[in-house]
Amino acid sequence: MPERQVSQVSPDPTALKALAHPVRLRMLGLLRVDGPATASGLAARLGLNSGATSYHLRQLALHGFIEEAVGQGNRRDRWWRARHEVTSFLGEHVEGEALDAGLAFQQAALHWQMAQMQAAHDGYARLPTAWRKASSVSDYTIAMTPEAAAALIEQIQALMAQALASAPPLGTPLPPDHRPFSIILNAAPLATEQTEPDQP
């Protein structure tokens, strides 16, 4: 399959704060992965009432994360779709309000990622052999300089971006042998319980 353009958004701090709400983050994820949905459909999946769901959808639309799916539904039953496939945030030079908003969003995303990893663990025994072979729970700790670590992350992200651009877009009917496959990357200097020695 030829590579396609992957749509991406880099929200400003105000929009990122709005997205950091855990319910909105889950809604956007569902719209990205499963495709367009109505407020009532999302409410049923998330265990919310339709009023609260509609409010969160309006907030996502206000900040440009979703839009009405033109040609689907009617005046009573509006369908919504995600506008972008990827959210970019928390660059290395951000400070102040942008840093605070990025960290709040990262905390919400981390909470969702941990839930996803636990769900994958819980469902492993039910996976077909081929998907068990493709699954992994791995961690690597390597002594590196900041420059070498940044270069490694850039290589990994470039590989992920290429795989994403070569894959069928999520939220559309997938070929029979395809399913959404989640790869969660968490990279940072190792946090330990050791305290730093007193400086002279």
Side-chain angles (χ1 to χ4, degrees):
M1 181 175 180
E3 290 193 1
R4 59 186 177 80
Q5 188 68 36
V6 176
S7 55
Q8 182 170 312
V9 61
S10 298
D12 63 28
T14 301
L16 204 54
K17 284 179 183 176
L19 186 57
H21 191 289
V23 171
R24 292 176 202 151
L25 190 61
R26 290 178 65 197
M27 283 183 179
L28 181 58
L30 288 173
L31 292 173
R32 283 179 172 175
V33 174
D34 297 335
T38 63
S40 57
L42 289 170
R45 296 184 65 179
L46 296 172
L48 301 172
N49 64 61
S50 57
T53 305
S54 294
Y55 170 75
H56 289 304
L57 287 169
R58 289 195 300 272
Q59 291 300 306
L60 288 171
L62 176 67
H63 294 287
F65 295 108
I66 65 172
E67 62 189 4
E68 191 169 353
V70 178
Q72 289 186 269
N74 50 48
R75 288 176 179 260
R76 285 188 53 136
D77 211 13
R78 297 173 70 186
W79 287 71
W80 298 93
R81 71 181 188 95
R83 293 186 60 195
H84 315 91
E85 295 179 72
V86 176
T87 303
S88 176
F89 70 103
L90 208 59
E92 64 268 25
H93 299 298
V94 299
E95 296 293 343
E97 184 185 9
L99 178 60
D100 292 340
L103 289 173
F105 174 74
Q106 185 170 265
Q107 182 64 56
L110 181 62
H111 180 77
W112 177 86
Q113 289 168 357
M114 292 174 67
Q116 290 298 108
M117 288 188 286
Q118 185 63 55
H121 168 77
D122 294 344
Y124 183 84
R126 298 186 297 275
L127 288 176
T129 303
W131 281 115
R132 285 191 187 185
K133 184 177 181 181
S135 301
S136 175
V137 177
S138 304
D139 63 271
Y140 305 88
T141 302
I142 310 167
M144 308 185 83
T145 65
E147 295 77 16
L152 178 60
I153 294 303
E154 286 179 9
Q155 291 175 351
I156 295 171
Q157 289 177 335
L159 185 62
M160 295 297 102
Q162 181 182 9
L164 184 60
S166 300
L170 294 173
T172 63
L174 298 177
D177 59 342
H178 284 59
R179 64 183 290 184
F181 186 73
S182 179
I183 300 169
I184 297 172
L185 176 62
N186 185 303
L190 181 65
T192 70
E193 296 180 4
Q194 297 175 351
T195 56
E196 292 293 327
D198 294 335
Q199 298 297 319

